[in-house]
Amino acid sequence: MNNIFYNSVSIILGLILLYFGIVNLMKKTYVFSILTLIHSVLFIFFGIGGFFLPDEYSYITILSLLALCITMAICIVTLNKKDDKKTKANKKSINKK
């Protein structure tokens, strides 16, 4: 029970990402929103699962939180930039008409 902070932060991040994924799903960015929803489920899973781990395996929650944060940051940087370029190109073509 030493990792109550990390478990609660993981659950909170999972819920924030769940909301973010649903909002992006409404914007029709399907690939990015599906990856966001997968990450949110994994954050919530590791957050809740951390409460049931013995103290000798408490590092699993911290390492999984770190790995999921890094992969989510990579997804945001790579996939969100492509969407921004498409929308800027669409705005320029609309303005020219």
Side-chain angles (χ1 to χ4, degrees), residues 25-45:
L25 194 60
M26 291 179 186
K27 291 181 181 178
K28 296 185 175 31
T29 55
Y30 295 113
V31 176
F32 182 65
S33 59
I34 289 172
L35 285 173
T36 304
L37 292 174
I38 290 171
H39 276 90
S40 69
V41 169
L42 288 174
F43 269 114
I44 293 171
F45 173 75

